[in-house]
Amino acid sequence: MKNHFTKTIVAIVITITLSSCSKDDGPSYNEENFMAGFLTNSGFSDVTDATTNGGSYEFGTEFTPLVKGKITSLKVKLPAINNALRVTIWDKSTPTATVIRSETVNVSAADTEQGFDIADLELTANKQYAITMNSDDWYNHRRTGNTNATYPVTSGNIRIDSYKWIGGTTQTYPTNIALSYYAGDVSFNFLQID
């Protein structure tokens, strides 16, 4: 009796498992982060200095996802602690960039990359967005010989279209372009969904 009961339970478990598997599940993808590939592919491999308590700036990158996906978390590395760092995701496809997500994160350790889970933010393939932070602390990345980078720079499924900055503490879309350096380490984890 016990043996028959065990066989019945095993048969039920196998049936449920097989019925929950579908050929339509599609491929599974791994999360990716563009930062390391961007720094390497752009040539911004020299960290020339770290600024703390400098002037406040809104700065970051304009980017285009090459596939449909979603931002699952933010990544930040600063040379100083900042318990109220504002990170903004912008829709750049509108005539004036529109804020689609603003997060305040607690960077509780200096010189350490930290991740911050956020509610997933879906991105459309081949649509331009931007990610910026507002800070008075940053790392300054330059190319060997201080030459200009050539954009766009592709890293995985993310194409970095430009680096921009603007002075001040307000949440204002940056308009100044810099080609000879990249300041700030703000990025995100991206997961392809189609």
Side-chain angles (χ1 to χ4, degrees):
M1 178 85 167
K2 183 177 179 184
N3 208 11
H4 176 52
F5 179 74
T6 302
K7 287 180 183 178
T8 303
I9 295 296
V10 169
I12 291 171
V13 169
I14 289 172
T15 302
I16 291 171
T17 302
L18 290 176
S19 67
S20 68
C21 294
S22 169
K23 291 180 181 177
D24 296 330
D25 286 344
S28 63
Y29 300 101
N30 294 322
E31 281 189 336
E32 57 184 289
N33 184 285
F34 68 85
M35 183 57 74
F38 165 62
L39 294 176
T40 298
N41 298 341
S42 64
F44 291 133
S45 53
D46 291 343
V47 178
T48 56
D49 58 58
T51 298
T52 56
N53 299 317
S56 292
Y57 294 91
E58 187 82 27
F59 51 103
T61 55
E62 293 179 331
F63 67 92
T64 302
L66 303 177
V67 295
K68 182 179 178 182
K70 59 185 177 181
I71 294 175
T72 60
S73 59
L74 303 174
K75 295 280 190 175
V76 176
K77 183 177 179 183
L78 295 176
I81 292 172
N82 184 333
N83 60 8
L85 179 74
R86 185 181 67 229
V87 177
T88 306
I89 310 291
W90 307 78
D91 180 345
K92 183 62 178 76
S93 67
T94 57
T96 57
T98 305
V99 174
I100 55 174
R101 182 71 64 86
S102 185
E103 299 280 345
T104 301
V105 298
N106 178 9
V107 181
S108 59
D111 297 316
T112 304
E113 184 180 67
Q114 293 186 276
F116 304 96
D117 289 334
I118 61 169
D120 291 351
L121 177 61
E122 192 169 306
L123 303 180
T124 303
N126 301 309
K127 180 177 177 179
Q128 194 173 52
Y129 300 90
I131 181 169
T132 63
M133 67 179 179
N134 193 280
S135 182
D136 62 357
D137 308 308
W138 64 86
Y139 296 99
N140 196 13
H141 300 266
R142 292 194 180 268
R143 291 166 54 94
T144 301
N146 290 326
T147 58
N148 287 346
T150 302
Y151 287 92
V153 177
T154 301
S155 175
N157 286 310
I158 302 296
R159 185 184 73 217
I160 307 303
D161 299 312
S162 65
Y163 164 73
K164 290 189 171 180
W165 62 274
I166 194 166
T169 58
T170 60
Q171 193 172 40
T172 302
Y173 193 79
T175 53
N176 301 297
I177 297 173
L179 298 174
S180 63
Y181 67 92
Y182 167 76
D185 289 37
V186 60
S187 63
F188 53 82
N189 283 351
F190 177 79
L191 182 63
Q192 182 176 349
I193 57 175
D194 69 350

